Amino acid sequence: MFTCIIIEDEPLARNLMEAYVKKVPQLTLVKSFSSPLAALDFLRENSVDIMFSDIQMPEITGITLLKILQKKPLVILTTAYSEYALEGYELEVFDYLLKPISLERFLKAVEKATIRLTASQPVVQEKIVQEITVSSEGSQAFIFVKDGTKLVKIRLNEILYIEGLKDYVSIHTKDKKVVTLQTMKSLETQLPDNQFIRIHNSFIIAFDAIDAIDKEKVQIGKNFLPISDTYRKAFKEFIEKKQVS
């Protein structure tokens, strides 16, 4: 759930923006302002995630408001004048909605904004822990990873392989795929090295999931994952050790 305010001196435009916000479950409207000065006083004492602000307003403009604010929320400007786009870009405005604003365009801006805000939130450090069970198999290892706003529990024996996607990793299991904001390096340190092996900058695989090994590829189900030169020797030693054991 993300908080927002609306700054708009025109009642009809302000009512429209309020109606649009109400259509988005993940947005909570904290307050609407007809005066940018009133909004400025509010923001000096309070913080919100998103600020929807008109540009042409009495007292001061939305651009001036941004220049005054020391700590800015994520800003989405709303205006009928496209010539402000360059100045808004220089002030690190996130998006620019040209009036009349359609619901579709509004929703696209909000979707991008919530993705940005979610990605910028502190990542919970996922640690391997042991789940105490009463089965004859003893304890079962698992990890928790953050997927959006929730923590998802993933059993290690269900992981097939992990794919790196810049600042994200995609964890492929037997029945789902979970994308989480984390680096491959940090996740690799959490996985038991007797069960998982890195074969490429972009891939970590589970030994038990391997179906076949070629000189340059590992087959896991219908997927063929590359073995890079950097990890080839360590992977070969890993497989040889597994064969002996």
Side-chain angles (χ1 to χ4, degrees):
M1 187 70 69
F2 300 101
T3 57
C4 68
I5 61 170
I6 296 170
I7 311 171
E8 172 61 68
D9 64 302
E10 297 179 5
L12 291 178
R14 188 167 63 252
N15 291 340
L16 177 64
M17 291 295 291
E18 290 174 357
Y20 282 176
V21 169
K22 289 179 181 178
K23 294 180 182 292
V24 183
Q26 64 264 43
L27 277 186
T28 296
L29 180 61
V30 177
K31 204 164 186 178
S32 285
F33 300 91
S34 59
S35 163
L37 291 180
L40 178 60
D41 287 339
F42 174 83
L43 290 170
R44 282 172 175 160
E45 301 294 332
N46 303 273
S47 62
V48 294
D49 297 310
I50 303 172
M51 181 176 81
F52 298 97
S53 178
D54 189 18
I55 292 181
Q56 291 285 20
M57 294 182 288
E59 302 171 322
I60 60 173
T61 68
I63 295 292
T64 302
L65 174 62
L66 292 183
K67 291 178 179 179
I68 295 173
L69 281 173
Q70 295 297 312
K71 186 177 180 181
K72 301 181 185 68
L74 191 150
V75 178
I76 298 177
L77 290 179
T78 62
T79 183
Y81 304 95
S82 59
E83 62 265 26
Y84 289 102
L86 178 59
E87 191 170 6
Y89 175 78
E90 293 172 349
L91 291 168
E92 298 182 350
V93 170
F94 180 75
D95 207 343
Y96 191 97
L97 301 181
L98 193 62
K99 296 179 180 180
I101 302 167
S102 68
L103 176 60
E104 179 182 4
R105 181 65 183 87
F106 174 83
L107 293 176
K108 285 182 178 179
V110 171
E111 178 67 15
K112 289 193 300 179
T114 55
I115 290 173
R116 167 72 67 82
L117 290 167
T118 300
S120 63
Q121 289 176 341
V123 179
V124 175
Q125 292 298 317
E126 298 85 358
K127 296 180 179 180
I128 296 179
V129 296
Q130 297 296 316
E131 177 188 14
I132 305 302
T133 67
V134 295
S135 69
S136 60
E137 297 178 356
S139 62
Q140 172 63 57
F142 61 86
I143 56 174
F144 278 105
V145 296
K146 192 172 184 182
D147 182 6
T149 58
K150 62 184 178 181
L151 287 173
V152 179
K153 178 181 178 180
I154 302 177
R155 297 181 186 277
L156 296 186
N157 64 357
E158 294 180 350
I159 297 176
L160 301 177
Y161 65 93
I162 299 164
E163 181 179 5
L165 306 166
K166 292 187 177 180
D167 294 330
Y168 293 81
V169 295
S170 179
I171 302 174
H172 298 256
T173 72
K174 297 175 181 177
D175 57 2
K176 63 185 175 183
K177 179 174 73 172
V178 178
V179 178
T180 183
L181 180 61
Q182 191 176 3
T183 64
M184 287 283 279
K185 185 176 181 180
S186 64
L187 184 56
E188 184 181 12
T189 61
Q190 300 172 47
L191 298 171
D193 56 14
N194 63 332
Q195 297 179 44
F196 294 88
I197 181 70
R198 192 163 186 172
I199 62 170
H200 191 277
N201 281 339
S202 299
F203 293 102
I204 298 172
I205 63 171
F207 172 76
D208 289 342
I210 297 174
D211 291 313
I213 301 172
D214 198 351
K215 290 184 179 180
E216 299 180 353
K217 296 177 183 178
V218 173
Q219 182 181 355
I220 298 178
K222 295 180 180 180
N223 301 290
F224 293 85
L225 310 180
I227 306 170
S228 71
D229 292 338
T230 303
Y231 298 96
R232 192 181 308 281
K233 181 179 178 181
F235 178 61
K236 181 181 178 182
E237 292 174 352
F238 176 82
I239 295 300
E240 290 174 348
K241 183 177 178 181
K242 283 290 185 179
Q243 287 177 321
V244 172
S245 59

